[in-house]
């Protein structure tokens, strides 16, 4: 049985003061029931997360990582550096990085490997745009995105988390129906089973895209939806906690 996992992606939001109250609010409300949980903060705030959350049930991580181990790569942050701040997770291949920073699936795969090499769990994001869905290309697009990662992670498939985030559902208030999301999640799991039938059943596949307290339970009740990657609703302690707790009774 896969455990549920709810991860907040803060994106480029926050400040020392607002993070402090958000983290305190979340940590206070975690009562041991519900999904496992984590927040992925902007890199400058990872030390703050580490100081505030050490010893709590809430894990933390980053939103991106360099594919390179170190050296002359101005502005980049290595996986080892994230490890220095005790990050457990790092998001790779978020659609905003693919769209605004032209990240290819091959680069995303290298980032996933860099994370694994440093002992971090990469949360590998895949998802189609609205135009791709309307052109009935959803399965082709996500298959190519995941396939590039599978080719490089090899036998370490059991150490990654996958997140299906339809681009048209991110920050739009439009959510994939539980059935639509489940259909894609099942395809992703089948693809992983082609790669390694023994471990595919244990890989967590999160849904992301306007997940909120009102729809989280229904989404996470689907057989292949193992939690959520939460944007906007992760910035309010009460909403994020409600989603974490929605992960308990399925
Ligand atoms: P929203 O929950 O704001 O739609 O964002 C989803 C997302 O992109 C999480 O990575």
């Amino acid at each position: 049985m896969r455990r549920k996992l709810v991860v907040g992606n803060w994106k480029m939001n926050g400040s020392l003061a607002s993070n402090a109250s958000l983290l305190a609010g979340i940590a206070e409300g975690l009562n041991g029931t519900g999904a496992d949980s984590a927040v992925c903060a902007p890199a400058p705030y990872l030390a703050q997360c580490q100081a505030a959350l050490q010893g709590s049930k809430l894990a933390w991580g980053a939103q991106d990582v360099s594919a390179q181990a170190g050296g002359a790569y101005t502005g980049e942050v290595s996986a080892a550096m994230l490890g220095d701040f005790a990050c457990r997770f790092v998001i790779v291949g978020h659609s905003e990085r693919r769209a605004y920073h032209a990240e290819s699936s091959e680069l995303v795969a290298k980032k996933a490997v860099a994370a694994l090499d440093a002992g971090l769990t990469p949360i590998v994001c895949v998802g189609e745009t609205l135009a791709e869905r309307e052109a009935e290309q959803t399965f082709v697009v996500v298959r190519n995105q995941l396939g590039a990662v599978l080719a490089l992670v090899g036998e370490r498939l059991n150490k990654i988390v996958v997140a299906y985030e339809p681009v048209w559902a991110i920050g739009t208030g439009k959510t994939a129906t539980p059935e639509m999301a489940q259909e894609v999640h099942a395809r992703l799991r089948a693809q992983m089973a082609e790669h390694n039938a023994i471990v595919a059943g244990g890989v967590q596949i999160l849904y992301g895209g306007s997940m909120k307290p009102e729809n989280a339970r229904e989404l996470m009740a689907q057989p292949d939806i193992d939690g959520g990657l939460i944007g906007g609703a992760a910035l309010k302690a009460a909403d994020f906690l409600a989603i974490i707790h929605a992960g308990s009774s399925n």
Side-chain angles (χ1 to χ4, degrees):
M1 183 62 189
R2 293 179 299 274
R3 293 181 62 81
K4 299 276 196 252
L5 172 65
V6 170
V7 179
N9 173 10
W10 289 358
K11 309 194 180 186
M12 199 170 71
N13 293 294
S15 65
L16 283 174
S18 67
N19 300 344
S21 63
L22 178 57
L23 291 172
I26 299 167
E28 228 168 74
L30 285 178
N31 58 14
T33 65
D36 292 339
S37 55
V39 291
C40 288
Y45 298 129
L46 292 173
Q48 182 187 21
C49 289
Q50 183 181 23
L53 300 177
Q54 222 152 28
S56 83
K57 286 188 182 310
L58 186 63
W60 59 96
Q63 299 171 12
D64 184 33
V65 66
S66 177
Q68 308 295 333
Y73 300 98
T74 301
E76 298 216 30
V77 175
S78 74
M81 293 171 187
L82 300 181
D84 271 347
F85 293 94
C87 288
R88 186 178 307 164
F89 297 102
V90 59
I91 297 169
V92 296
H94 192 279
S95 62
E96 288 149 18
R97 304 250 7 132
R98 293 179 191 263
Y100 308 145
H101 300 271
E103 291 195 9
S104 66
S105 293
E106 289 65 34
L107 178 64
V108 172
K110 286 183 188 155
K111 291 183 171 199
V113 167
L116 289 170
D117 288 347
L120 304 179
T121 300
I123 301 175
V124 176
C125 299
V126 301
E128 82 287 2
T129 63
L130 184 59
E132 288 161 345
R133 176 161 280 269
E134 286 175 345
E136 299 183 359
Q137 293 299 303
T138 297
F139 299 133
V140 176
V141 168
V142 299
R143 186 177 179 84
N144 288 339
Q145 290 172 335
L146 181 62
V149 173
L150 294 179
L152 287 202
V153 303
E155 290 311 301
R156 293 187 286 178
L157 173 60
N158 61 336
K159 298 210 158 53
I160 75 168
V161 170
V162 175
Y164 169 55
E165 296 207 314
V167 178
W168 49 269
I170 294 176
T172 58
K174 284 188 208 156
T175 318
T177 64
E179 295 72 26
M180 280 162 90
Q182 166 58 28
E183 191 183 20
V184 178
H185 284 227
R187 291 281 191 125
L188 294 171
R189 193 173 307 287
Q191 183 182 358
M192 291 192 278
E194 289 167 24
H195 182 79
N196 185 331
I198 296 166
V199 305
V203 179
Q204 290 165 313
I205 309 178
L206 314 183
Y207 169 79
S210 301
M211 197 191 260
K212 42 193 181 244
E214 299 76 44
N215 59 25
R217 187 173 299 278
E218 212 191 348
L219 283 159
M220 287 194 268
Q222 297 294 317
D224 289 292
I225 301 184
D226 307 311
L229 185 54
I230 319 300
L235 298 174
K236 289 190 198 138
D239 286 357
F240 190 56
L241 284 165
I243 297 172
I244 292 169
H245 292 141
S248 57
S249 52
N250 298 305

